[in-house]
Structures are given as structure tokens and as C-alpha cells.
Amino acid sequence: MDRERTKDATQVNRYRRRFLQGAAAAAATTAAAPVPSWGGSTLGDVFADFFQDHYQRMTPEEIQETLRRIERKAKRRYGVEIQCKNTPPQENVVFGYAINISKCRGYRDCVDACVEENNLGRDMRYIHVLEMDQGSQNLRTADRYYDRKQVPAQGKYYLPIQCMHCDEPPCVKACPVEATWMEPDGIVVVDYDWCIGCRYCMTACPYEARHFNWGGPRLSGAEINPDTHYLGNRPRPKGVVEKCHFCVQRTRENRQPACQEACPSGARVFGNLLDPDSEIRYVLENKAVFRLKEGLGTEPKFWYYRDI
Ligand code: SF4
């Protein structure tokens, strides 16, 4: 009986999401009347897109078909061969991040590396570095548009923020179509083909870590990073909510996130929270770490600390 009810609810959810997405697509098609309704794509791919299921409900074969379709669309749109992967989480791995704010100088190299690695439109940022008054933790008075040529400025310190991959993520609870969830390795991901762009998750996130894309990434073929993951940096459709995914295309292959590699001052520590010998565990066990908005109970897997 309960199973039947769950099945019914899943069906209703699917139809509701299809209806909402269909209505949005119809409106967009009407607005862009001179362009063929399939936007230069093949009719077969348009149908397959329409009937594509939620990532977590697709069979391995359906996922593979979807990945190949994304690669074909990227070739048509950007003229480049990309690889769209589906690398799964590793056993006994839960990722966490820590930033030494004594070392951060506000250079924003992490921001630039993130933009390039993750195929972001050049008007989109997953990471913001906040310039803060020394002694203050008031995020409202922080300046995120400071002049990077003047850093580090007298009397200031720098606080990078991005998705904290909360263990109790309010964004996930807010999504009406379950397009976002936490993976077994702790990464909070988005199925960009299932997102309806309602932006409830943006409102729910207390860290301003989610960003609505008003257009698909406007990039030239030369700017595209061809190494992509379905749940990460692959080309996203226009009108969905995006965010940091801990560089899933790299970290599930034992590489560091692009922001960590790019930081010239060694302020960033990323690793496996379940590995007692990892640097992140050393930091958590030996430094006076803190998290932002701790009282909200979101349990971010993202810590800050200072050299004493
Ligand atoms: S920081 Fe925001 S977007 Fe990221 S998991 Fe937490 S609530 Fe969700």
C-alpha cells in the first residue's frame, strides 16, 4: 500500500515537473519565434530531452545515452568535442573544505580558476571573496566588489564564500521537484535537466551560494573545458540554478578542486573527512575552526581558521 502510494506520488511529481518545464519551454519558444523550435538540434535529441527522466531514476543505459546527447549538443553549439562523465562517488569518502583566512590575500585567483574550470558564463561566479573589516564578522558590511589591484588592503581581511555543502541543506528541502540532493560523498548536486528554475533553493540558502543563470553560458569553443561531469561543469540549459559542486569532475578522480590548486597563498585545504591522515582532518583536529552562521543548524562541511 505504502509502496503504491510512493509510486503514485513519484508519477504525480514527474507530471507536475513536466508540465512546469513544458510551460516554460512553450513560453520561451513563442518569445524566440524566428528560431526553429529545436534550436538547431536534431528532432530525435529534442524528443529524448523531453522524455529524459530524473538522474536518480535513469538506468545506466539511459544515463549513457543522455551523456552522449549532451556531448553531441556541445559539439553543435560550441564546435568542440567534450567528454561528459558520470564518475560515481568513491566508498568511504566524504569531502570537506577549510580556508586559512590568515593566508588569504584576496587575490581572487580561485574565482578565476573556478570560472574557467566549470564553464561558467563570464557574468557568473560560484565563489565570492568578501573584503571584511579586521575584527568584524558582519557579512552585511562586507565588500565583494573591492579592487583586486589594491589587495591586501590595510585593516581588512578576506573571506571566500561558496556552496558549503551543508549536511542539513535547506536548499534541498526547498526544491519542489527534487532536482537537488546530497550525494554519498557529501557533495550537494543539481540535476540541471530536472531543475525548473523556480529559485526556491536560492531563497532557502543562507550563504547566497546558488545563482540563477539568465542565459546558457555564452562561451566560445576555445573557452570550453571539455572535461565535464553530468552533475558538474557540463553545459547547462538556460534558466536553471547553478552552484559550486566541489569540482566533481576532478575530485571524484582524486584531484583537487580548481580553486584549491589556483590559490597562490596556500590558504585552501580540501580532502576526505573520513581519512584520519588527511590534511583536512589535521586542520579540524588541531586548529580553532569555525563555520559561518553555525546557529542555523545547516552543518556546513566548510570551515575557516586562522594561524595563531
Ligand atoms: S551552502 Fe546553500 S546551496 Fe550549498 S548546500 Fe548549503 S544551503 Fe545548499
Side-chain angles (χ1 to χ4, degrees):
M1 178 69 177
D2 278 352
R3 246 180 106 190
E4 277 306 303
R5 211 176 295 140
T6 309
K7 203 170 144 201
D8 287 350
T10 305
Q11 282 296 89
V12 168
N13 200 17
R14 272 186 215 185
Y15 294 142
R16 182 170 56 149
R17 185 257 177 194
R18 284 284 175 234
F19 171 76
L20 292 169
Q21 199 184 41
T29 304
T30 309
V35 182
S37 58
W38 51 89
S41 194
T42 65
L43 205 50
D45 280 355
V46 171
F47 271 111
D49 278 348
F50 186 78
F51 290 107
Q52 183 182 318
D53 208 342
H54 188 292
Y55 173 81
Q56 292 176 303
R57 285 192 290 266
M58 280 195 271
T59 64
E61 293 74 28
E62 286 170 336
I63 289 180
Q64 286 307 314
E65 282 170 22
T66 302
L67 302 181
R68 301 295 82 80
R69 201 162 63 246
I70 289 170
E71 291 169 354
R72 282 198 298 277
K73 286 197 288 185
K75 174 81 177 161
R76 282 195 292 267
R77 183 168 175 189
Y78 301 108
V80 291
E81 307 272 356
I82 69 162
Q83 185 198 11
C84 189
K85 302 178 294 194
N86 185 38
T87 319
Q90 295 181 23
E91 295 260 315
N92 299 317
V93 172
V94 172
F95 291 121
Y97 219 139
I99 294 187
N100 183 343
I101 51 177
S102 308
K103 286 188 172 174
C104 181
R105 296 282 181 268
Y107 297 138
R108 292 203 200 116
D109 289 11
C110 52
V111 178
D112 296 342
C114 172
V115 166
E116 287 170 24
E117 170 68 26
N118 292 310
N119 293 320
L120 302 196
R122 296 327 190 216
D123 53 353
M124 165 85 74
R125 302 282 180 273
Y126 290 171
I127 303 174
H128 287 282
V129 182
L130 307 181
E131 188 177 70
M132 311 277 290
D133 292 327
Q134 283 291 0
S136 165
Q137 282 200 11
N138 188 346
L139 299 181
R140 286 200 194 129
T141 58
D143 181 2
R144 60 177 64 188
Y145 304 110
Y146 62 87
D147 182 354
R148 68 194 294 177
K149 296 192 204 84
Q150 305 296 325
V151 298
Q154 192 76 27
K156 307 286 184 185
Y157 76 98
Y158 297 89
L159 190 77
I161 55 168
Q162 57 202 80
C163 176
M164 311 269 159
H165 296 274
C166 307
D167 242 13
E168 295 291 337
C171 56
V172 168
K173 292 183 190 136
C175 179
V177 295
E178 299 175 7
T180 183
W181 66 93
M182 184 163 62
E183 289 274 89
D185 54 6
I187 305 180
V188 175
V189 296
V190 181
D191 183 343
Y192 293 118
D193 290 338
W194 203 255
C195 174
I196 58 170
C198 69
R199 291 170 267 178
Y200 287 3
C201 58
M202 287 173 64
T203 311
C205 172
Y207 304 103
E208 298 178 28
R210 287 179 172 254
H211 312 279
F212 185 71
N213 79 13
W214 293 91
R218 282 182 285 276
L219 299 173
S220 67
E223 291 171 313
I224 294 283
N225 171 13
D227 178 32
T228 75
H229 192 288
Y230 182 87
L231 297 172
N233 59 341
R234 50 93 165 196
R236 282 84 62 194
K238 173 180 173 179
V240 299
V241 175
E242 303 187 15
K243 68 172 199 66
C244 157
H245 39 79
F246 274 174
C247 281
V248 61
Q249 69 279 2
R250 298 166 65 106
T251 50
R252 284 190 179 170
E253 295 179 355
N254 303 317
R255 299 172 65 200
Q256 288 286 308
C259 53
Q260 192 280 339
E261 274 188 10
C263 177
S265 44
R268 289 173 166 266
V269 177
F270 176 87
N272 181 7
L273 296 170
L274 302 185
D275 176 0
D277 297 324
S278 63
E279 193 180 352
I280 184 93
R281 278 286 292 273
Y282 177 85
V283 167
L284 298 189
E285 287 162 18
N286 294 282
K287 303 286 183 181
V289 294
F290 68 93
R291 298 186 287 188
L292 292 182
K293 304 188 181 183
E294 188 95 64
L296 296 178
T298 52
E299 303 291 340
K301 294 193 288 297
F302 205 102
W303 290 264
Y304 298 90
Y305 64 102
R306 290 177 188 275
D307 289 330
I308 301 191

